[in-house]
Amino acid sequence: MCNFTKLIDSFSSSSGEEQAFALDKFLEFEVCESAKMIADSLNNLDKDDNGALQIKAINTLGFIGRQDVAYVGSTLVELLSHVDDVTRFETLDALAELGYLPAIEKAISLIETDTEWLVRVSAIEALVTLTELNSQKVKDTIDALFKALKDDSSVVVRDYSAWAIAVLGDGRSIPALDECFKGENEERVQAMISLAKLYLGDLNSLETYTRILSRASSETVTPLLNALEDLLSRGAKQLSNEDATLLKEKLHNISEIASENEVAIQRIMAMIDTFKALQS
């Protein structure tokens, strides 16, 4: 059994290898009392190996920092201005894991201003998690997501924006999604917008989503199926039993011409069967 008090007390003066060992133990045994000390040490950790030790500390804080969430969260937020893309990405993930609600405003800002598309995607994912915990921020978050859906240069960011609107929005979002669809040139994003509309109650969008899905490349099909699976796992907000049956039929037809995605489609069809059973 480790002596955690000794590991905590000696952490700041230890070598990088010893600090990495300590972080592994703090995470493995959920040593929450180490969180504040780790937060205080973030800027002094060994910067060798592309900042891997700092990243390990950030990830550890995401899982063990809840007892000191205000202190740990405020410390992590400062790293969202870090020059390194990976640091910003991992910090957003840790803040979402912590449920640190004051990070919502900073995440919205990063969606609009960060130059790295992967960080903007991470900001969207963090916003979904945090906004689900704070319904008062839904409007601000959805406004930022629609701006990204309309204006962001990255197809992936626009994809994630449509998915996030589906998760956080309701039927009132459908007209704005319609406008975004009309201005979108990428079929992959059009399909994601159609899926968002379907999930929020526009059942006419099923045909558009499955039509694009049936002719898309495997590179495009995978994120579209992942999004559908995620949304179904959250509970189909407006999908009737009959519409679920139609969706399953169309997915079955697609699986016959896209064998490389058959496993994913079969998994989703099983989810639809579960949904239909719950509806009965």
Side-chain angles (χ1 to χ4, degrees):
M1 175 66 72
C2 290
N3 185 335
F4 296 123
T5 301
K6 183 177 179 180
L7 280 178
I8 292 171
D9 291 343
S10 63
F11 186 84
S12 60
S13 60
S14 299
S15 68
E17 186 175 331
E18 290 169 336
Q19 289 175 328
F21 171 81
L23 289 169
D24 286 338
K25 293 304 175 184
F26 294 153
L27 181 58
E28 180 182 356
F29 293 98
E30 299 183 9
V31 187
C32 298
E33 58 268 30
S34 68
K36 195 170 183 180
M37 177 276 300
I38 297 171
D40 287 338
S41 304
L42 278 174
N43 291 319
N44 301 316
L45 294 175
D46 189 349
K47 297 301 190 295
D48 291 342
D49 198 19
N50 295 319
L53 187 60
Q54 188 181 60
I55 297 299
K56 180 186 282 286
I58 290 168
N59 292 335
T60 301
L61 285 173
F63 288 99
I64 69 170
R66 290 187 182 91
Q67 288 186 3
D68 292 295
V69 64
Y71 188 87
V72 172
S74 62
T75 304
L76 287 173
V77 163
E78 295 177 10
L79 292 179
L80 293 179
S81 300
H82 199 284
V83 66
D84 180 61
D85 299 338
V86 177
T87 299
R88 299 196 305 280
F89 178 92
E90 297 290 351
T91 299
L92 284 161
D93 188 56
L95 287 164
E97 188 68 37
L98 279 174
Y100 184 65
L101 299 182
I104 290 175
E105 287 78 7
K106 185 63 176 177
I108 288 175
S109 175
L110 287 175
I111 292 174
E112 298 173 350
T113 63
D114 203 283
T115 57
E116 173 55 48
W117 69 266
L118 195 60
V119 176
R120 300 198 298 277
V121 167
S122 185
I124 290 170
E125 291 181 313
L127 268 180
V128 168
T129 298
L130 295 172
T131 304
E132 285 183 313
L133 299 173
N134 184 3
S135 59
Q136 294 181 347
K137 292 294 183 180
V138 169
K139 184 182 183 305
D140 291 344
T141 296
I142 287 182
D143 287 346
L145 292 170
F146 268 114
K147 187 175 187 304
L149 182 55
K150 292 174 184 176
D151 300 334
D152 200 284
S153 59
S154 166
V155 169
V156 182
V157 172
R158 299 201 302 277
D159 255 3
Y160 271 80
S161 297
W163 161 78
I165 290 167
V167 174
L168 297 173
D170 55 32
R172 292 171 293 182
S173 300
I174 292 175
L177 285 168
D178 274 331
E179 291 303 310
C180 291
F181 183 93
K182 293 173 184 176
E184 180 56 59
N185 295 320
E186 291 284 345
E187 274 200 337
R188 167 176 165 174
V189 183
Q190 289 178 336
M192 198 69 79
I193 293 171
S194 297
L195 177 58
K197 290 168 58 185
L198 172 64
Y199 187 68
L200 295 175
D202 181 4
L203 303 175
N204 294 324
S205 297
L206 175 59
E207 185 64 36
T208 303
Y209 172 73
T210 53
R211 184 179 70 249
I212 295 174
L213 198 63
S214 66
R215 67 188 186 206
S217 65
S218 58
E219 183 182 65
T220 297
V221 168
T222 297
L224 292 175
L225 290 176
N226 288 344
L228 174 58
E229 186 171 6
D230 174 82
L231 292 174
L232 287 173
S233 72
R234 295 170 182 270
K237 291 182 178 180
Q238 304 292 337
L239 206 61
S240 71
N241 206 311
E242 292 76 14
D243 296 308
T245 299
L246 181 58
L247 174 58
K248 183 179 176 182
E249 289 174 356
K250 289 182 176 294
L251 286 172
H252 176 72
N253 293 336
I254 292 170
S255 70
E256 293 184 334
I257 60 175
S259 58
E260 67 272 21
N261 294 294
E262 185 175 1
V263 173
I265 291 175
Q266 292 295 331
R267 189 169 63 244
I268 293 170
M269 289 197 295
M271 293 177 69
I272 294 173
D273 284 338
T274 300
F275 164 78
K276 291 171 61 180
L278 292 173
Q279 290 285 89
S280 300

